[in-house]
Amino acid sequence: MEIPYKIYLSESEMPRYWYNLRADMQKKPAPLLNPATHQPMTAAELSGVFCDELVRQELDNDTREYPIPEEILSFYRMYRPSPLVRAYCLEEKLKTPAKIYYKFEGNNTSGSHKLNSAVAQAYYAKQQGLKGVTTETGAGQWGTALSMACSYFGLDCKVYMVKVSYEQKPFRREVMKVYGASVTPSPSDTTAVGRKILQEHPGTGGSLGCAISEAVEVAVSNPGYRYVLGSVLNQVLLHQSVIGVEAKIAMDKYGIKPDIIIGCAGGGSNLGGLIAPFMGEKLRGEADYRIVAVEPASCPSLTRGVYAYDFCDTGMVCPLAKMYTLGSDFIPAPNHAGGLRYHGMSPVLSELYDQGMMEAVSVPQTAVFEAAEAFARVEGILPAPESSHAIKVAMDEAIRCRETGEAKTILFGLTGTGYFDLVAYEKFHNGQMDDYIPTDEELARYAAKLPKI
Ligand SMILES: *Cc1c(COP(=O)(O)O)cnc(C)c1O
């Protein structure tokens, strides 16, 4: 059978379920803990912050398949399936015998995979009869995805956007407003935690952890509102499994088996979603794959962090999660431009990494932008800097194949497009980008402040 250059699934081949990887993990990810009592968070406690159905998904380590509700499937049909593309031109340029495939999630207005979970979370909020949701956004992809989903379901959407991004990325901010969201730069004086942070750090440009604290405070203090998060949580990895399930259906159809699966890792949602069905086979002993997480050298939670309970946010209002973490007040160096800035990693991926089921590497940002440009020039897509971490390592692996003569099959996640990241590309072009890597002493200082559990 001839394999098309781009593999799309037909409507009848599209997945109708999300796959819950936790069901196949013998040792489950550690539970979220109540920050006051250090006891596992109960559904009742979590339901003050998250929608009821999402709480159920968060705590469910056993149900293997979740049917995707019909309303979500019809939203998915607007922009899915995403193509699985054979990168012939890149292979040729690298003169590699490797076969390189990428799953491209940038074909929607949010420009990333984040819409896959945003639509699910907005749907369940609507089902519960809520008025609206609150969230944080850094660069703005998640806020954009959520505002799209909320406008579709008629929900109010309040976004706390990290102040530096709010100022440097006016276009993302305006896209969110197109979809009817209200966007507040964080830290702000609209919340108690924001006022406290402003008092302690006047002039701060904000951080994701701080924006999360503000969004949670607004959700729990306004009736009819809940908080939603775009990465890290178990429920988000569940929704993102649509990426991996689609990829696996497409590959199985043509008898393609990846040897290496590569994804960038910020909070872990795209990688967790892409690898889900493959990791499931690996956990059940049915197949083996090399799975590689790629993170920035300036924010290296898996490769240099500690596996411990930590706060998910700066204000310490969220539950504690056991994860590979750099410490909740870690903020990457100001010149860091490549995204993937979160201090911790999804508890599911953290546990799998700890069990030795996957690898992790970190890459310096100038190498990431070099790879991004090399890719753009032959494959035609301007990649997001985040996605380009995966491109960089996929290219390294393909070059290694050239040296060893092995014709390996590589699959990587191309999570999004970089049109709103041109200030970062500009820094790269003007030679204003350097590769700051935190020292061991710096990391130890942050790690020393981890909560003692
Ligand atoms: C948010 C984002 C990421 C990183 O988030 P994960 O949860 O680790 O997937 C990667 N790529 C793009 C384009 C993003 O918007």
Side-chain angles (χ1 to χ4, degrees):
M1 185 162 28
E2 199 184 332
I3 302 179
Y5 157 67
K6 271 189 184 150
I7 308 176
Y8 284 100
L9 300 182
S10 71
E11 227 156 80
S12 63
E13 294 167 321
M14 292 264 288
R16 292 181 175 273
Y17 66 91
W18 292 306
Y19 165 60
N20 182 5
L21 183 53
R22 285 167 285 159
D24 284 311
M25 291 172 71
Q26 257 168 27
K27 183 161 177 250
K28 308 290 183 191
L32 297 172
L33 299 186
N34 180 312
T37 64
H38 294 182
Q39 294 303 305
M41 290 291 287
T42 62
E45 288 169 330
L46 284 170
S47 66
V49 182
F50 300 116
C51 307
D52 295 347
E53 173 58 25
L54 294 168
V55 169
R56 187 167 82 86
Q57 295 178 3
E58 191 62 30
L59 297 178
D60 181 355
N61 286 337
D62 303 308
T63 309
R64 185 175 273 118
E65 291 184 0
Y66 268 84
I68 305 174
E70 197 48 50
E71 293 85 343
I72 299 178
L73 281 176
S74 49
F75 191 98
Y76 278 173
R77 280 186 209 105
M78 288 198 277
Y79 70 101
R80 306 201 70 83
S82 73
L84 178 72
V85 186
R86 173 86 183 264
Y88 280 113
C89 299
L90 183 63
E91 291 169 17
E92 198 167 299
K93 182 183 157 84
L94 298 174
K95 301 198 166 33
T96 176
K99 298 183 183 71
I100 308 174
Y101 291 87
Y102 58 89
K103 180 80 169 154
F104 179 46
E105 292 290 320
N107 270 332
N108 69 76
T109 296
S110 82
S112 81
H113 64 286
K114 292 202 171 69
L115 195 53
N116 300 330
S117 182
V119 61
Q121 297 196 45
Y123 168 77
Y124 292 118
K126 186 70 185 177
Q127 282 293 98
Q128 196 175 322
L130 297 176
K131 274 193 267 185
V133 292
T134 70
T135 197
E136 78 295 332
T137 197
Q141 289 98 318
W142 167 245
T144 307
L146 188 68
S147 40
M148 292 173 72
C150 284
S151 75
Y152 183 78
F153 289 115
L155 283 168
D156 183 36
C157 177
K158 296 187 195 303
V159 180
Y160 281 81
M161 185 170 189
V162 177
K163 191 184 275 167
V164 276
S165 304
Y166 183 90
E167 285 157 4
Q168 288 173 4
K169 303 203 170 184
F171 297 139
R172 276 250 197 254
R173 190 179 76 206
E174 295 310 314
V175 179
M176 286 185 254
K177 290 186 185 168
V178 166
Y179 289 95
S182 73
V183 189
T184 309
S186 165
S188 75
D189 60 8
T190 64
T191 64
V193 65
R195 287 189 291 272
K196 179 162 174 277
I197 292 168
L198 280 174
Q199 205 164 43
E200 286 166 9
H201 308 276
T204 175
S207 70
L208 269 182
C210 159
I212 294 175
S213 304
E214 290 205 86
V216 171
E217 182 183 320
V218 173
V220 298
S221 51
N222 283 290
Y225 282 80
R226 292 292 185 282
Y227 168 71
V228 294
L229 183 63
S231 185
V232 185
L233 294 176
N234 299 338
Q235 53 185 279
V236 183
L237 268 74
L238 175 69
H239 307 145
Q240 293 296 355
S241 70
V242 70
I243 305 173
V245 176
E246 264 182 22
K248 186 139 198 326
I249 293 171
M251 293 189 123
D252 285 349
K253 180 172 171 186
Y254 293 99
I256 308 161
K257 183 177 178 293
D259 298 297
I260 313 173
I261 305 169
I262 300 167
C264 64
S269 74
N270 86 82
L271 179 64
L274 175 68
I275 66 174
F278 302 99
M279 182 62 92
E281 287 188 334
K282 190 165 164 157
L283 286 165
R284 298 190 301 269
E286 297 164 6
D288 198 13
Y289 304 96
R290 251 189 84 202
I291 294 173
V292 186
V294 190
E295 57 187 17
S298 52
C299 190
S301 55
L302 281 175
T303 50
R304 295 176 69 202
V306 184
Y307 190 32
Y309 270 103
D310 194 9
F311 293 99
C312 296
D313 62 324
T314 315
M316 306 179 181
V317 296
C318 291
L320 294 158
K322 188 176 179 195
M323 55 187 176
Y324 275 85
T325 179
L326 297 166
S328 63
D329 2 296
F330 179 85
I331 297 177
N335 78 6
H336 173 72
L340 311 175
R341 326 169 57 98
Y342 190 62
H343 66 272
M345 186 56 63
S346 134
V348 173
L349 292 189
S350 291
E351 178 54 35
L352 289 166
Y353 179 63
D354 200 58
Q355 292 176 14
M357 297 299 287
M358 54 185 271
E359 305 163 31
V361 291
S362 74
V363 286
Q365 61 177 349
T366 50
V368 167
F369 279 83
E370 275 163 29
E373 283 201 346
F375 180 85
R377 289 176 191 182
V378 291
E379 293 292 323
I381 295 172
L382 176 71
E386 291 91 341
S387 323
S388 305
H389 288 74
I391 296 176
K392 162 70 183 150
V393 172
M395 286 172 65
D396 287 349
E397 290 293 339
I399 291 167
R400 193 162 305 143
C401 286
R402 177 175 76 204
E403 285 155 6
T404 62
E406 287 170 288
K408 289 199 173 143
T409 299
I410 298 170
L411 167 64
F412 75 89
L414 187 67
T415 50
T417 48
Y419 301 110
F420 290 108
D421 302 292
L422 290 167
V423 171
Y425 276 94
E426 183 186 29
K427 283 200 179 122
F428 173 65
H429 294 147
N430 295 346
Q432 293 163 328
M433 181 174 279
D434 55 34
D435 290 325
Y436 182 78
I437 297 175
T439 61
D440 288 342
E441 292 69 41
E442 258 175 87
L443 294 184
R445 261 203 316 278
Y446 287 106
K449 289 196 267 176
L450 286 171
K452 309 276 176 285
I453 309 293

